[in-house]
Amino acid sequence: MKKIAVIDYGMSNLHSVLKAFQYVTNKNYEISVAKSIKDILDASIIVLPGQGAARSCMQRLSTNYPDLRKHILNKPFFGICLGFQILFEKSYEDNGVECFSLIKGSVNSFTGKINSKMKVPHMGWNLVKQKNNHPLWKSIPDKTFFYFVHSYYAQTQIKSNECSVTQYGIDFTSSVIKDNIFACQFHPEKSSKYGLQLISNFINWSETLK
């Protein structure tokens, strides 16, 4: 049986993520909360959801899950929201913090970059424009709406890593793909049938990876 480890570092809503993965997977998968690096070692797939600030997230991950970066490189990985942002080189939240540097680019504040009448955080449904014909988008129409909650946005420097873009005053990277890694700024677990379809597509895609 394959194991899906959903990382718990005390800054994410695990319940909805666990429920979404349980809904789309079959009896060949066991889904559990990862509370230590041993749980990561035993897993076939790593899922990192997240909410809150990047600095606190990086501190907790480095303390509770040493060498997590190495494991992200070696197993199918799904990052959500803050679990997406910390894949970049740096986040400028909380006066700046160095992140995992798995995706070239940075995470920046909407403040000062968008019309002052636009609310921050960017919260609610927004369309996601697909940038490639990846299997992750199977049965998901281009420009489908997904659910967002974030005050900082990411921009990747390497366009081949950009899986989708979204517009909120500016165009920003809303999902990335690189080797065994997929991550998104939006919340698929809160995005109705197409969010569940994306999770299902990720599971199927992970089975094709060596």
Side-chain angles (χ1 to χ4, degrees):
M1 179 177 289
K2 295 182 179 180
K3 295 183 178 181
I4 300 175
V6 181
I7 295 177
D8 177 16
Y9 56 97
M11 295 173 61
S12 60
N13 182 6
L14 290 180
H15 177 73
S16 57
V17 175
L18 288 167
K19 187 175 179 180
F21 272 82
Q22 289 166 350
Y23 186 85
V24 303
T25 52
N26 57 38
K27 62 183 179 180
N28 295 323
Y29 286 90
E30 176 187 335
I31 303 164
S32 61
V33 175
K35 300 211 177 263
S36 69
I37 196 63
K38 182 181 184 302
D39 296 325
I40 302 297
L41 291 169
D42 292 341
S44 304
I45 293 172
I46 303 170
V47 180
L48 179 59
Q51 297 172 340
R55 181 180 296 277
S56 297
C57 175
M58 290 300 296
Q59 289 173 343
R60 294 189 185 196
L61 289 175
S62 63
T63 299
N64 298 330
Y65 304 93
D67 296 324
L68 177 60
R69 185 182 187 278
K70 177 182 69 176
H71 298 298
I72 291 174
L73 287 168
N74 293 318
K75 297 184 179 187
F77 174 86
F78 195 133
I80 301 170
C81 195
L82 192 55
F84 156 83
Q85 291 186 358
I86 62 170
L87 298 179
F88 287 80
E89 294 171 291
K90 184 173 183 176
S91 171
Y92 285 93
E93 189 174 9
D94 287 346
N95 298 315
V97 61
E98 300 298 317
C99 298
F100 281 135
S101 294
L102 293 169
I103 302 291
K104 286 191 175 295
S106 61
V107 178
N108 309 281
S109 176
F110 277 117
T111 303
K113 303 289 180 62
I114 62 176
N115 189 307
S116 60
K117 294 181 180 180
M118 300 179 74
K119 293 182 178 180
V120 178
H122 168 220
M123 181 182 299
W125 296 84
N126 203 344
L127 65 83
V128 169
K129 180 174 175 55
Q130 300 168 16
K131 298 294 288 184
N132 53 32
N133 191 29
H134 199 277
L136 282 158
W137 298 124
K138 180 181 178 182
S139 301
I140 301 174
D142 190 17
K143 299 181 181 178
T144 289
F145 281 78
F146 288 85
Y147 189 80
F148 290 82
V149 183
H150 60 121
S151 298
Y152 284 72
Y153 69 92
Q155 292 283 16
T156 180
Q157 293 179 6
I158 300 177
K159 292 303 179 182
S160 61
N161 293 157
E162 197 166 54
C163 203
S164 69
V165 296
T166 296
Q167 201 275 338
Y168 189 69
I170 57 172
D171 289 334
F172 64 89
T173 302
S174 53
S175 68
V176 291
I177 187 79
K178 182 181 179 183
D179 302 325
N180 58 299
I181 295 170
F182 174 76
C184 52
Q185 179 65 75
F186 52 87
H187 289 266
E189 78 281 6
K190 298 180 180 179
S191 297
S192 191
K193 68 174 184 177
Y194 289 122
L196 293 174
Q197 182 66 54
L198 181 63
I199 295 172
S200 178
N201 290 345
F202 173 82
I203 300 296
N204 292 334
W205 172 66
S206 73
E207 294 177 348
T208 69
L209 301 175
K210 293 183 180 180

